[in-house]
Amino acid sequence: MYFFALPASLTKADKVTNTQEAAPRRQVTARPTKSPVRPQPLPTTASPAPLTPAPLTPAQAFDALYAFCAPALVRQTYLLCGRRELARESVERAFQLAWQRWPEVAVDRDPAGWVRATAYEYALSPWHRFRPRFRHPEPPPPDASDRALMDVLLTLPRPYRRTLLLYDGVGLDLPETAAETEASTPAAANRLLHAREAIAARLPELADPAALHRRLTEVASAERLRAAKPPTVRVGGERRAQFWARSAIAFTVAIIGATALTLRTAPTQYEAPVPPGEQVQGVPPRAAAGPLSNTQLNLRAKLRAQTAHGPERLLPEPR
């Protein structure tokens, strides 16, 4: 290090703390040493921290899932049921149920698969045939080839149709298709083979799975099927949940009222039922009135004649 010389003496104006004049100081000479001066490190600028995106709210996450899945899911459901209105309704009901169970759906490893399975189950429900709005078929597709393919699809059994759509339409592998249709892998494979054979028997040009996949995509894309807006679906689901909650509360209150009324009006002691009548021995059974026999007629005439010639009766005399 380098030592620097200090001033020889302080001026009179400079005083120490005890108000005495400062004594003169000895001069010190600076002598260089052999140790080199260490260079000071240059000031470094702090690197900016990576920006982490803000977490999405449940409504934003739901809207993102709906915008990503709903348009394609409506077209898939149309191939499954053959009804445009039912396809839109199935997708809306599936997303409404997903919004009601959002804590469960949000942590699912495949939320899109959860919604798809729910929409397919609703679209394939056999109870829709009893609804007045779904008793009559909808207009078929305008193209003849599209109508032929839709006719073949709708003639397949529901499990076969669903397996074919998941494997050849959506593009799932065989284990995933079997898991979503709640079947074993061999059963799903047999359904897929039978469905392909049925389509190839009526439409030989679709015997190739690649050609079948392309035609399914074309038929689904040809229909103008639009899904509702995410806020509309969320609000509809909340209103439906409120309606069913209020209905359950009203039904519970009605049951409680009926139970209270029953307890109020019910008898408090046991009353034995009246036993049925028993026949007494020796008494002739009661018979219905009928015509008199000759013997009875003679007896009645005799009694009436004797009454007229009997003893005199006492009659009250008025006074």
Side-chain angles (χ1 to χ4, degrees), residues 59-288:
Q60 292 175 348
F62 175 83
D63 294 349
L65 177 65
Y66 185 88
F68 179 76
C69 299
L73 189 56
V74 172
R75 292 190 290 268
Q76 297 171 18
T77 312
Y78 169 71
L79 294 177
L80 194 66
C81 63
R83 292 183 176 272
R84 303 170 182 84
E85 186 178 356
L86 181 58
R88 288 190 291 265
E89 182 181 347
S90 301
V91 175
E92 290 182 8
R93 291 292 179 84
F95 274 99
Q96 288 175 358
L97 186 60
W99 178 243
Q100 296 175 10
R101 304 180 181 179
W102 186 247
E104 173 188 350
V105 178
V107 298
D108 193 89
R109 64 176 183 178
D110 187 13
W114 192 97
V115 178
R116 180 178 59 242
T118 306
Y120 284 8
E121 289 289 343
Y122 186 86
L124 292 178
S125 176
W127 299 104
H128 295 304
R129 69 181 68 179
F130 301 106
R131 301 174 62 181
R133 59 192 301 184
F134 295 138
R135 289 180 181 177
H136 304 286
E138 291 186 356
D143 188 67
S145 58
D146 295 349
R147 288 198 302 270
L149 180 57
M150 288 298 300
D151 292 340
V152 177
L153 287 176
L154 295 179
T155 56
L156 296 175
R158 291 184 178 89
Y160 291 15
R161 196 188 319 162
R162 184 174 182 178
T163 304
L164 179 71
L165 180 61
L166 289 174
Y167 191 84
D168 288 333
V170 180
L172 301 183
D173 57 6
L174 195 57
E176 293 178 350
T177 303
E180 188 161 332
T181 55
E182 299 180 355
S184 61
T185 304
N190 291 332
R191 293 175 181 177
L192 178 62
L193 293 178
H194 287 303
R196 285 180 176 178
E197 291 176 359
I199 294 178
R202 297 182 56 177
L203 301 174
E205 66 275 8
L206 299 181
D208 185 13
L212 179 60
H213 173 74
R214 183 179 65 257
R215 289 293 298 133
L216 290 174
T217 305
E218 293 174 356
V219 173
S221 302
E223 296 293 334
R224 296 182 177 179
L225 300 173
R226 297 181 181 179
K229 300 297 182 181
T232 304
V233 176
R234 282 192 284 106
V235 172
E238 293 172 358
R239 290 179 178 176
R240 183 176 296 275
Q242 293 177 359
F243 170 76
W244 286 112
R246 293 173 181 174
S247 300
I249 293 174
F251 184 71
T252 305
V253 171
I255 291 179
I256 294 175
T259 305
L261 181 61
T262 303
L263 294 176
R264 181 67 178 176
T265 58
T268 58
Q269 59 183 1
Y270 176 74
E271 296 181 0
V274 179
E278 298 181 359
Q279 185 177 4
V280 180
Q281 299 293 335
V283 177
R286 186 175 181 180

